[in-house]
Amino acid sequence: MESMVIWRERLEALRANKWFEAFVIFVIVMSALLIGARTYDETSRYEQMLRWLDHGITLFFLAEILIRMAAERRLRDFFRNGWNVFDFVIVVASLIPIDDSEMVLLARLLRVFRVLRLVSLIPELRVLMGALLKAIPRMGYVVLLMFIIFYIYGAVGSFLFHEVDAGLWGNISIAMLTLFQVATFESWATAVLYPTMEHYPWAWIYFLSFIFLNAFVFLNMMIGIVLEVMQKENAQFELETGTGEAAEMAALRREVSGLTEQLSRIEQKLDRR
């Protein structure tokens, strides 16, 4: 029993070692470069070497995930962390043999996702990903409002500019695609605005109002949501790691609370006397 505890402590120390984490990040980057190298025809002559490197990286990831699992006091504690589950799924998916002709495409696609393991290993990336995932539901309402504006402007544009160019304003779906081009500023002036203004000189009001709503209002709303969630995630991260202003404020509150309790105890003792 003692030997198991000793081994677990050693594995836990290895898992927390900064050099080990840096080496794991290095292997993940090498895995990404290996995947990219396979997309070039010039590397076909090194196919055997690339295959052996892929096997070595897969075995290393398997050993690394086993070390992290063995370092836990209880195995179920490992799977309580969502990022650990993500890493486990990616590593298990990488075990699909790449030599099987029927599974080559699937295996290569799954190996691409090994690059995402950088997110689980680097805390700052975890904060960014967590903020993005939490911001998506709130951003969905902005996207819904954008769709309503697109739909209204698409319908109006289809009614007004149908005779100008049926390829741009033929129906509401085509008109919404045209408006998407306008919203992304992809050659919108020469391809959409000027031809329309040749028939309707006042059409600039239609386009500028649409651009103002989408490029300025809705885009800033998206940015505001992401920044708000990012601030909350950073504050939570600082509290968990004990760094930053949020952690200092929490420590100060604890000190003030402790001093208040001590003062109340002294007052109670004085009252008894």
Side-chain angles (χ1 to χ4, degrees), residues 88-126:
F88 180 81
V89 171
I90 293 297
V91 172
V92 171
S94 298
L95 298 177
I96 297 177
I98 201 171
D99 296 330
D100 190 350
S101 59
E102 296 180 357
M103 303 292 289
V104 168
L105 180 59
L106 177 61
R108 289 182 177 177
L109 289 175
L110 291 174
R111 278 163 171 75
V112 172
F113 290 98
R114 292 194 300 200
V115 183
L116 289 175
R117 293 200 61 207
L118 285 173
V119 178
S120 63
L121 291 175
I122 301 177
E124 288 76 10
L125 290 182
R126 290 202 302 267

Side-chain angles (χ1 to χ4, degrees), residues 204-273:
W204 62 271
I205 301 174
Y206 171 87
F207 289 103
L208 291 185
S209 62
F210 174 78
I211 290 174
F212 177 80
L213 286 173
N214 285 275
F216 298 103
V217 177
F218 293 134
L219 180 60
N220 287 325
M221 290 174 67
M222 290 280 194
I223 295 174
I225 291 172
V226 174
L227 288 177
E228 181 183 354
V229 177
M230 277 291 299
Q231 289 177 351
K232 293 181 180 179
E233 287 295 303
N234 283 326
Q236 183 65 28
F237 177 73
E238 290 173 356
L239 286 174
E240 293 176 354
T241 57
T243 59
E245 295 181 359
E248 293 177 359
M249 291 297 295
L252 184 61
R253 291 193 192 96
R254 288 194 295 268
E255 292 180 3
V256 171
S257 178
L259 291 173
T260 304
E261 291 179 359
Q262 291 180 4
L263 287 175
S264 62
R265 292 172 186 170
I266 293 173
E267 289 177 355
Q268 290 176 1
K269 290 181 180 178
L270 290 175
D271 292 339
R272 292 174 182 173
R273 292 179 180 179

Side-chain angles (χ1 to χ4, degrees), residues 6-16 66-67 70-71:
I6 293 173
W7 274 105
R8 184 181 58 77
E9 291 177 351
R10 289 178 179 178
L11 293 175
E12 188 174 359
L14 177 62
R15 180 187 61 179
L66 290 176
I67 288 172

Side-chain angles (χ1 to χ4, degrees), residues 137-157:
R138 298 175 61 183
M139 291 169 63
Y141 293 105
V142 179
V143 172
L144 178 60
L145 183 57
M146 288 179 63
F147 175 80
I148 294 173
I149 298 300
F150 264 80
Y151 191 86
I152 293 173
Y153 271 81
V156 172

